[in-house]
Amino acid sequence: MNRTRALAAGALLVALGTSAASPWWTLHRLQSAVARRDAGAVSAQVDFPALRASVKGQLLAAMGRDGGETKGDNPFAAIGSAFALALVNPLVDAVVSPAGVSAMVEHGRIEIAKPERAPEAAAPEPVRETPRYRLAYRGLNRFAVTAQDGGSFVFRRAGPWSWKLAGIEMAPRR
């Protein structure tokens, strides 16, 4: 009887330990997929609808903040908002892609920029330092991976041992 309890307790500890360590494994898998340039493996790690919503919300908030967010009877405010939305949607669709996510992970910079195409000629790439990240739980079902620039990738639990990239928090402007 005691042996059965000890085995059950050991199995429970192993399950909890591996579940708690799964964010590090997820980040490793994502970085490996980026290094292999495997778009399918990168896509498997990302919840694209949630990521697009996260990026779109931050871009619109930044545009409103930078634009001074006019309130009141200004008829041009509605036109400006519609124009901003027309600009943001294609930008988000271009950036929130396997190539865009790969570029952010590879360079350790969380920013919104259109991914660059690979050069046609096979020129040797300059040696870059591997980006460093800090991981921190933000509750039981979320964790954040903060990059060197201060921006964060936010992952949401998709099962006991799996996570999906569901949002980003862009680094504050300097």
Side-chain angles (χ1 to χ4, degrees), residues 19-153:
S19 182
S22 62
W24 284 268
W25 178 246
T26 298
L27 181 59
H28 171 74
R29 286 190 348 224
L30 181 59
Q31 287 177 320
S32 295
V34 168
R36 290 189 319 268
R37 304 209 182 311
D38 184 350
V42 170
S43 294
Q45 304 289 322
V46 180
D47 178 357
F48 283 107
L51 186 58
R52 282 186 184 97
S54 169
V55 171
K56 192 179 296 186
Q58 289 185 60
L59 282 176
L60 290 174
M63 286 178 155
R65 214 175 25 250
D66 293 344
E69 270 194 69
T70 57
K71 295 180 182 175
D73 298 329
N74 187 347
F76 296 108
I79 295 170
S81 295
F83 185 68
L85 199 58
L87 286 175
V88 167
N89 285 332
L91 177 65
V92 169
D93 290 340
V95 172
V96 181
S97 65
V101 170
S102 294
M104 285 188 271
V105 171
E106 183 176 15
H107 299 294
R109 295 176 59 201
I110 300 172
E111 62 185 1
I112 302 304
K114 195 166 184 178
E116 297 177 12
R117 291 186 178 199
E120 296 298 323
E125 288 188 23
V127 177
R128 284 192 291 252
E129 188 175 315
T130 303
R132 302 263 183 233
Y133 297 102
R134 288 186 328 245
L135 278 73
Y137 272 97
R138 291 189 176 170
L140 188 59
N141 295 320
R142 289 173 37 115
F143 79 92
V145 179
T146 303
Q148 293 169 335
D149 69 353
S152 296
F153 295 106

